[in-house]
Amino acid sequence: MRVLVVEDEQLLADAIARGLRRESMAVDVVYDGGQAWERIGVNDYDVVLLDRDLPGMHGDELCRRVIEAGGSSRILMLTAASEVSDRVAGLSLGADDYLGKPFAFSELVARVRALGRRAMPPVPPVLEVAGVRLDPSRREVTRNGEPVSLAPKEFAVLEVLMRANGTVVSAEQLLEKAWDENADPFTNVVRVTVMTLRRRLGEPQVVKTIPGSGYRIG
């Protein structure tokens, strides 16, 4: 899942990003509305965490532009204003959800995952392919009933492949969905991560390389 955090309180923004990355999400961070609008024009985000009171471009205006531009990005507004009238105003702008500060991080993660599911084609909440079972909400993976321990990026790659439902996923698509904008597209990070994922999942291998195209699971 690719997430954009738009928050002018840099310590809070960076803390949110670190936490979401531990949940195997690819996270980019910006600190004002103008930067956010530029990023949204370049990258496809499943979820945008949007502080309402932003410098550069107000969060309300950014929300309006994102909605008018179309696309599948879901918007979760974050704000210290948590009165009912404030929530109604935020949702009336087109935001998909609203969370007042301060908030429990576990609730934030749950809401981001729920919005991320809405941004993607419908799939079961727990994914199962070829004996591999992945539960995104619990961050648990098993193969033939045995637990499999994965690093965050390995988990993210496996989730992207399983959500593809047997279709081929290119290295570029994996880089887009499982890494943030700081990833170097000219490195072999995708190939190395897939190799490690295969080793952790064990034999027989379920992640297949499709020469010249990418990877699929099944």
Side-chain angles (χ1 to χ4, degrees):
M1 184 188 304
R2 187 80 179 265
V3 179
L4 177 64
V5 176
V6 191
E7 167 63 64
D8 65 326
E9 296 181 39
Q10 295 191 19
L11 291 178
L12 175 60
D14 294 343
I16 290 173
R18 285 195 300 271
L20 293 180
R21 286 168 184 149
R22 286 195 294 269
E23 295 292 325
S24 302
M25 301 181 196
V27 186
D28 296 332
V29 182
V30 293
Y31 308 114
D32 69 63
Q35 288 181 332
W37 182 238
E38 292 177 2
R39 294 292 200 287
I40 291 169
V42 174
N43 301 315
D44 292 326
Y45 294 102
D46 299 303
V47 179
V48 177
L49 294 184
L50 177 59
D51 182 40
R52 195 169 179 188
D53 297 314
L54 291 170
M57 180 189 299
H58 195 274
D60 290 358
E61 172 63 14
L62 180 58
C63 181
R64 184 187 64 78
R65 291 192 184 189
V66 172
I67 298 302
E68 289 182 352
S72 60
S73 296
R74 302 297 180 176
I75 298 175
L76 172 56
M77 274 196 166
L78 302 176
T79 179
S82 57
E83 297 295 328
V84 171
S85 59
D86 296 309
R87 295 198 297 271
V88 170
L91 294 171
S92 68
L93 291 166
D96 297 278
D97 201 356
Y98 193 104
L99 187 59
K101 302 175 186 176
F103 50 81
F105 186 74
S106 58
E107 181 180 4
L108 175 67
V109 171
R111 288 174 181 260
V112 169
R113 289 200 179 280
L115 290 178
R117 289 193 295 270
R118 291 167 58 185
M120 302 173 185
V123 294
V126 176
L127 307 172
E128 294 191 55
V129 179
V132 178
R133 186 176 188 273
L134 182 147
D135 186 335
S137 62
R138 296 177 180 271
R139 288 201 68 252
E140 293 178 348
V141 175
T142 61
R143 183 169 189 191
N144 298 325
E146 295 296 322
V148 178
S149 178
L150 298 180
K153 282 292 180 280
E154 295 158 5
F155 187 96
V157 167
L158 179 61
E159 183 174 0
V160 173
L161 291 172
M162 294 183 74
R163 286 186 181 278
N165 198 28
T167 61
V168 177
V169 181
S170 70
E172 291 77 13
Q173 289 171 318
L174 285 174
L175 198 64
E176 170 73 21
K177 289 295 185 182
W179 278 266
D180 58 34
E181 62 185 3
N182 295 316
D184 185 347
F186 300 104
T187 66
N188 62 352
V189 64
V190 172
R191 183 175 62 83
V192 171
T193 302
V194 169
M195 289 173 58
T196 306
L197 175 61
R198 284 188 179 123
R199 185 169 66 250
R200 294 189 189 279
L201 290 174
E203 298 292 341
Q205 293 186 0
V206 292
V207 179
K208 311 296 185 182
T209 298
I210 311 301
S213 298
Y215 307 92
R216 68 175 176 84
I217 188 167

